[in-house]
Amino acid sequence: MVTDKRRTFGRVEELPSGRWRAYFKSEGLRHNAPVTFATKTDARLWLDTVRTDMTRGAWRAPLSTRYSLDDYATQWIALRPDLKESTRDLYSSTYRLHIAPLLGTKRLDKLTPDQVRNWHQLLAADLSGKLGGQARSRTATARNGSSTVARSYRLLHAIMQTAAEDELIQSNPCRIKGAGNAWSAERPTLNLHEVQALAERVPHHYAALVHLLVWTGVRIGEAAAMQRRDLDTASDRPTLTVRERAYRLQSGVIDLDSPKSKAGRRIIPLPPHLVPDIDAHLNQWTGESPSALVFTTSTGGSIISGYSQVFNRALNHIGRPDVRVHDLRHTGMTLAAQAGASVPELMRRLGQSSTTAAEGYLHTTADHGRAVAERMSELAAKSNVIPIRRASGETA
């Protein structure tokens, strides 16, 4: 462990993890920074800030030299340099809504596996609606809330793992096997008649958006950031290029950025039947500039803030209040799988680097299995396959 002893106030030391710890002594007590730092410079800057506060009389000694989970987690989220703003915003919201209420005041070094298990059970019960008299969280992303529970656990696990690696705690108390994986039930889908009914029910400038979400599987944030130049409908092989996505931060600011992963930047082949609808929309609702947003509100603003209300009203009207906008993506990927898309092709359309989500769309239903069997027979007939005969000469 390397320690910088040249400073007149405080010390910084490099930990085995490669990160830096800062600390100082006041009235005989050692005070550690609530987080560790990526660089020595960052650790020194923290000490300089504390010293300035002391000079101005603004510094107050903490009640304990050990920090709460709130102290550490807040800094962990705020100071990580590798996070996109949308991810930082999501982490902040997830921590504030789902972790802090039960665990935030716990001392970082006193958080036990039993407390983590209790928090996990209560959160799962709350988001699934099983806690009597308590409203289910609006942030649940699956019908049983399991996606939110899994995301919250992954965040807590990552925070505590960093604390363990930086020797602020002895070991990570998050030890629930499989808790980072969602166990959500099958998402609802629309049939093709319902897709058409939805497109006819939404405002006219949203009709093409309905079809695009279904037949390409893009996310609503990707559609909200789409520009005229991202669509090539004039070619005999029409395509859609996903370059950016829009995300509404808690502050109300709309963040435009590249997709979170390399796989998110992708080119999606457009089904030919979709091209006339897209062209009609571009001609009527989209500006002529290559950078003009393809889909906007009636006043020309971003659709990312109010799309859910528009779609929810239309879905209620067609008798499908159980469906959400994200389920249109699920509908489209299910149709693609039934049309014969392979796992790699589904991954490209989804913009994901993991096969897990893509494989989920390849589940076999009785109707789909029958359609596959019938197509196999059609192939056999076209190829003049000779029927198998038994040794006795009877046709099998």
Side-chain angles (χ1 to χ4, degrees), residues 77 83-96 247-253 255:
I77 295 171
L83 295 181
K84 288 181 176 292
E85 282 308 306
S86 58
T87 303
R88 198 184 310 280
D89 194 72
L90 178 61
Y91 282 179
S92 296
S93 175
T94 298
Y95 180 80
R96 176 175 54 84
Y247 184 92
R248 188 175 186 272
L249 302 178
Q250 296 178 64
S251 62
V253 173
D255 177 58

Side-chain angles (χ1 to χ4, degrees), residues 123-137:
L123 181 62
D126 180 23
L127 295 184
S128 64
K130 293 180 180 179
L131 284 183
Q134 294 192 24
R136 179 176 167 180
S137 170

